[in-house]
Amino acid sequence: MIVLGISAYYHDSSAAIINDGVIVAAVQEERFTRVKQTADLPIYSISYCLEEAGIEMSELDAVVFYENPVLKFDRSLSLGLGRYHISKDYQNKLFSKYILQKLAIPQELREVFGQLGKNDLLYTVPHHYSHAASAFYPSPFEESAILILDGVGEWSTTSIGVGKGKKLELTHSIDFPNSLGLLYSAFTYYCGFKVNSGEYKLMGLAPYGEAKYVKLIKDNIVEIFEDGSFSLNLEYFDFLDKEIIASSKFDLLFKIKARKSETKIEIKYIDIAASIQDVVEEIIIKLAKNLAKNTKQKNLVMAGGVALNCSANGKLLLEEIFENIWIQPASGDAGGSLGSALSYYYAQSKTPRKVENTNDSQKSSLLGPEYDSETIQEYLRFSNLPFHLCEDYNLLIDKIARYIDDGKIIGHFSGRMEYGPRALGSRSIIGDARDIKMQNQMNLKIKYRESFRPFAPAVLEEEAKNYFDLNSKSPYMLIVANVKTDKLINNTTKITDPKNILDQINEPRSIIPAVTHIDNSARVQTVSKDQNRRFYDILHRFNELTGCPICINTSFNVRGEPIVCTPEDAYRCFMRTEIDILILENCILIKEEQPIRNKDDNWKDEYELD
Ligand SMILES: [Fe+2]
C-alpha cells in the first residue's frame, strides 16, 4: 500500500510517501522554492516523493491531508460568530484562508497531477492524529504514551494518548485558545523575534537570563494546574483578533514595551525569556508526570512544534518520568505529512506493525533528495568551477577531518537531505568545537545571525557520555544536556550587563567552548556508525587526529534561508559566506581557487530575516 501525505497552507508545507508503512521519502517545500517555511501547496515536494517511489499520483492507494479543514473552519467560525470581536477584514482573511483555499486543494492537485490516487479522493486525518502518528509509528517502541505539544491544530493544542502496536488513541486534549505553543509564541513576539520561527532564538536566549518573572507570569498570564493542564488569561493575548499575539497588557505587566526586532536586547527581555522557558518546562513536566501515572507506560513519544524545545526536552529526560523518550525530528507541521500517511496506512493495513527495538524507522531523517557525484561533477564542469575529485573514500574523510583541525569552516553536502528543521550532517556547516572564536565567527561571518546564538555539537555516539550528562541517544539534536564537569574550565556567571554578552560568549567555559552555552549546556547530536556512516567516519577520524570526538554542526544556510537542497544552492551559500571549503560528495572546492566574485549581499534581499 503506497500512501502520500501532504501538509500545507499553515506553515512549513511538506509531502511524504510511504510504502507498506516504510518511509520512502519526506521533504519540506521550502527546500525547493527557497522560501523559508512556505505554506504553499507542496507541488515540488509531491513530485519528488512520487519520483522517489517510482509511481504516478493516480496509482497511489491513498492521498491524505494532515488536518481536517472543516473542523479547522469550525474553530475559525466560532471565533467569528462567538464571544470575541473580530474585525471584518480578519474574518474575510480567515474565511479565504481556512475554507476557500483548503476546499480547493483536491482540484488544485488534480490540475497538476491528475487523479488523486485510485479512488480520486483526498482523505483527511485530524491534525493531532497526524502529529501523534508521526511520533509513535516511526519510534522504536511497541507501545508508548503520546504527548503532543502544539500551537493549534483544529481545536486541540495539547493532546495525550497511548499507542500500542498498530493502534493509536488520543484520550484527552487541551483546546484552543489555551495553548502552550501560542503562549511561547506570544513571548517570542514580545521579545522581538518572529513568531513561528523565532521560538528557537527565545530558547537560546533563556540561559543568559534569570527566571525572575516566573511568579508574575503564573499569577497573571497562565494558570497551571497540578495535572499540567493550564489556562491562559486571554486579556494578555491578541491572537483571537489579529496576528500580533501578545497584547499591550504585556507592556504594563513587565513595565517595558515589546522589543522591536533587530534592536538591542535589554537584560529584562533576557530575564523574561528565562522565565517563560521555566514556566513552559514546568507545564511539560507536570503533563508528563500525569501521563505516566495514568497510562503506566515506560516509553514516551512526542511531536508538535513545542516538542522542538530541546531545553525542555533535556529537563524532561533528567526527571526520569519515562525510561525512554523518542521525539519526531519533524515535530512541527512539516511532520504532518508523514504522520497523516502513517495514520491512514495503519488504520487500513491488515499487517502487524514491525518494531526494531534498537533503532527507529525514521532512517536518520535522511529522507530528501540526493545528488550523486556524476551529477555534481557535471554541474561543476558545466559552470567552470574548479574542484578536486577525491575518489578514495578514506582519503576524503581524512582530508575533511584535517581541514577541521586546521580551523577551516566546511560546507558539507552529502547523501539525502534531512527532513525536519535540523541539519544532521548531510547539509551541514561543520567546524572545530575546540576553537574559542568559532561561535562568534560562525554567527557573524557565516550565518549572519545574532551573536548570542549557540551552536550544537555533533559527537560520536559512544563518546557522548564522556562529554555530556546524557544517558540516551540524541540522533536528531533534540535534547540539551550539560557538558560534564571535568570538561569545564570556567564557572559561568549569568549575564548582568547585556553589553558584555559578547565578552562572556568569548570566555572559554569548557574544552569545547564553541558548543558550550553560557549555562554550560549543549544541544547534542549523537552520531552512530549504523545511522549516519559518513558523518560518523569524519568524527571518528577527527578524534583519531585530535583526541576530540566532537565538531560543530550547524545547518547549511544563511539567516532566513532554507537549508540548501541542491549543489547549486550549496555553492551559492559557500560563495556568499566565509565558508572555506565546500565538500559536494567527493568533490572538494577551495574558496581561494574559485572565480573572483563581487561581494554578494543579495541574500539579505532574497530571504526575509527570521
Ligand atoms: Fe501542529
Side-chain angles (χ1 to χ4, degrees):
M1 191 194 299
I2 305 186
V3 183
L4 176 79
I6 297 170
S7 142
Y9 290 146
Y10 188 39
H11 50 85
D12 223 354
S13 296
S14 70
I17 197 158
I18 59 171
N19 187 350
D20 286 340
V22 176
I23 309 171
V24 176
V27 67
Q28 288 137 275
E29 187 72 355
E30 61 164 26
R31 308 292 166 86
F32 298 108
T33 61
R34 313 305 297 152
V35 178
K36 194 152 185 167
Q37 294 187 316
T38 182
D40 287 355
L41 196 62
I43 300 294
Y44 294 100
S45 306
I46 295 169
S47 302
Y48 162 70
C49 285
L50 293 172
E51 193 186 312
E52 194 66 39
I55 195 169
E56 297 289 323
M57 184 74 110
S58 59
E59 298 169 313
L60 289 167
D61 291 282
V63 184
V64 190
F65 192 64
Y66 84 124
E67 65 182 10
N68 184 328
V70 178
L71 278 180
K72 192 147 186 173
F73 183 61
D74 176 50
R75 169 166 62 82
S76 317
L77 196 66
S78 76
L79 291 178
L81 301 178
R83 58 202 158 106
Y84 311 112
H85 167 75
I86 291 193
S87 64
K88 189 86 187 154
D89 272 2
Y90 196 59
Q91 282 182 47
N92 290 338
K93 197 171 161 191
L94 284 178
F95 188 73
S96 60
K97 188 169 168 187
Y98 290 124
I99 275 294
L100 300 180
Q101 196 179 46
K102 283 182 183 164
L103 289 182
I105 294 173
Q107 201 44 42
E108 275 187 71
L109 288 172
R110 280 185 197 106
E111 279 164 19
V112 183
F113 299 103
Q115 188 178 309
L116 298 185
K118 289 172 183 164
N119 301 325
D120 197 22
L121 283 173
L122 183 67
Y123 296 92
T124 63
V125 168
H127 191 105
H128 273 204
Y129 270 87
S130 294
H131 276 313
S134 78
F136 175 61
Y137 292 122
S139 79
F141 310 139
E142 178 59 36
E143 55 182 82
S144 87
I146 298 169
L147 179 56
I148 306 305
L149 303 165
D150 206 8
V152 60
E154 293 94 357
W155 276 102
S156 308
T157 66
T158 304
S159 295
I160 57 174
V162 177
K164 283 185 187 172
K166 282 199 323 184
K167 201 163 170 276
L168 182 161
E169 197 183 0
L170 295 178
T171 50
H172 298 86
S173 70
I174 298 171
D175 291 344
F176 185 83
N178 295 309
S179 160
L180 202 52
L182 294 177
L183 171 69
Y184 205 77
S185 291
F187 278 86
T188 301
Y189 164 81
Y190 184 65
C191 291
F193 303 114
K194 202 172 162 187
V195 168
N196 285 335
S197 67
E199 284 75 5
Y200 230 70
K201 299 183 190 181
L202 193 70
M203 187 188 77
L205 193 62
Y208 291 102
E210 259 182 74
K212 286 179 184 168
Y213 303 110
V214 169
K215 188 169 182 310
L216 195 67
I217 294 171
K218 292 202 293 188
D219 285 349
N220 292 279
I221 302 181
V222 55
E223 189 179 359
I224 306 172
F225 305 104
E226 226 15 70
D227 62 357
S229 61
F230 53 89
S231 170
L232 300 187
N233 179 353
L234 298 181
E235 290 175 10
Y236 283 88
F237 298 88
D238 271 346
F239 53 72
L240 298 170
D241 192 26
K242 39 188 169 175
E243 284 172 335
I244 297 166
I245 62 176
S247 82
S248 53
K249 285 204 79 168
F250 267 72
D251 306 10
L252 297 172
L253 186 68
F254 294 110
K255 299 187 176 58
I256 189 167
K257 277 202 167 312
R259 178 181 160 254
K260 289 207 164 51
S261 62
E262 308 306 311
T263 58
K264 190 180 139 195
I265 307 178
E266 305 282 345
I267 189 77
K268 197 158 196 178
Y269 297 113
I270 301 174
D271 291 338
I272 292 170
S275 307
I276 188 61
Q277 181 65 30
D278 261 28
V279 168
V280 164
E281 285 167 7
E282 180 184 333
I283 293 174
I284 295 174
I285 287 166
K286 282 188 166 150
L287 281 167
K289 280 184 176 160
N290 189 49
L291 184 57
K293 191 174 87 188
N294 290 335
T295 62
K296 312 270 184 294
Q297 291 291 327
K298 62 180 175 59
N299 303 318
L300 173 69
V301 297
M302 299 204 298
V306 184
L308 293 170
N309 192 312
C310 331
S311 300
N313 297 343
K315 300 269 169 54
L316 184 58
L317 206 61
L318 285 178
E319 291 282 322
E320 296 183 340
I321 303 163
F322 289 93
E323 282 177 32
N324 308 294
I325 300 180
W326 192 86
I327 304 158
Q328 164 58 238
S331 261
D333 282 356
S337 57
L338 175 62
S340 60
L342 289 166
S343 179
Y344 180 91
Y345 170 75
Y346 282 106
Q348 303 297 321
S349 155
K350 304 264 182 298
T351 7
R353 170 172 169 252
K354 278 189 230 113
V355 178
E356 235 191 281
N357 275 319
T358 44
N359 284 336
D360 60 49
S361 59
Q362 183 81 14
K363 298 182 173 173
S364 311
S365 223
L366 304 179
L367 300 165
E370 79 178 319
Y371 299 83
D372 61 23
S373 178
E374 282 68 38
T375 309
I376 290 167
Q377 289 176 52
E378 219 171 275
Y379 153 66
L380 294 173
R381 291 201 179 98
F382 180 78
S383 312
N384 277 323
L385 301 174
F387 68 98
H388 306 268
L389 183 65
C390 182
E391 286 178 300
D392 180 332
Y393 176 78
N394 291 331
L395 183 62
L396 177 67
I397 298 300
D398 179 68
K399 276 176 185 277
I400 297 172
R402 285 178 195 276
Y403 285 137
I404 302 172
D405 189 23
D406 279 351
K408 299 278 190 269
I409 295 175
I410 296 163
H412 186 250
F413 180 106
S414 165
R416 295 186 74 177
M417 183 178 65
E418 298 86 348
Y419 174 52
R422 304 276 80 82
L424 301 166
S426 285
R427 303 287 186 279
S428 288
I429 298 172
I430 51 183
D432 193 343
R434 302 166 304 168
D435 186 341
I436 180 66
K437 292 188 278 323
M438 213 37 117
Q439 179 181 5
N440 214 0
Q441 195 182 345
M442 276 212 185
N443 268 329
L444 300 178
K445 295 186 174 170
I446 308 288
K447 307 280 285 194
Y448 302 118
R449 65 183 202 181
E450 301 90 336
S451 54
F452 71 83
R453 295 184 63 189
F455 284 104
V459 55
L460 289 174
E461 187 180 283
E462 62 272 22
E463 288 285 345
K465 61 181 182 309
N466 299 325
Y467 284 80
F468 306 100
D469 291 327
L470 181 68
N471 291 325
S472 68
K473 298 181 200 176
S474 178
Y476 302 115
M477 210 189 263
L478 285 169
I479 294 176
V480 164
N482 284 334
V483 175
K484 284 196 99 66
T485 323
D486 64 336
K487 303 294 186 246
L488 298 177
I489 51 176
N490 215 345
N491 259 339
T492 303
T493 50
K494 292 276 176 180
I495 297 286
T496 45
D497 177 0
K499 277 181 245 150
N500 291 332
I501 284 184
L502 275 182
D503 293 346
Q504 284 194 244
I505 286 171
N506 290 328
E507 273 173 26
R509 288 178 296 278
S510 79
I511 60 167
I512 41 168
V515 292
T516 307
H517 207 355
I518 195 99
D519 59 351
N520 298 333
S521 70
R523 182 161 47 89
V524 182
Q525 179 197 3
T526 55
V527 182
S528 72
K529 197 173 194 165
D530 56 338
Q531 287 191 294
N532 198 337
R533 180 62 195 265
R534 173 157 157 162
F535 200 26
Y536 178 91
D537 288 343
I538 293 170
L539 288 168
H540 194 265
R541 183 65 191 131
F542 184 67
N543 190 28
E544 282 176 346
L545 291 170
T546 65
C548 175
I550 294 169
C551 76
I552 300 174
N553 175 13
T554 186
S555 53
F556 198 157
N557 57 353
V558 291
R559 185 175 171 192
E561 182 189 16
I563 293 176
V564 300
C565 176
T566 64
E568 290 89 333
D569 298 336
Y571 186 79
R572 200 180 311 117
C573 188
F574 168 55
M575 293 305 289
R576 279 176 168 174
T577 61
E578 296 190 22
I579 294 175
D580 301 298
I581 312 273
L582 173 63
I583 310 283
L584 297 169
E585 290 299 344
N586 57 0
C587 302
I588 303 172
L589 287 86
I590 294 164
K591 181 61 79 48
E592 292 80 47
E593 296 174 357
Q594 301 309 307
I596 295 169
R597 293 189 171 197
N598 293 330
K599 189 160 170 51
D600 175 9
D601 277 341
N602 286 346
W603 64 270
K604 289 176 187 156
D605 306 321
E606 208 170 311
Y607 308 117
E608 196 184 322
L609 289 184
D610 60 4

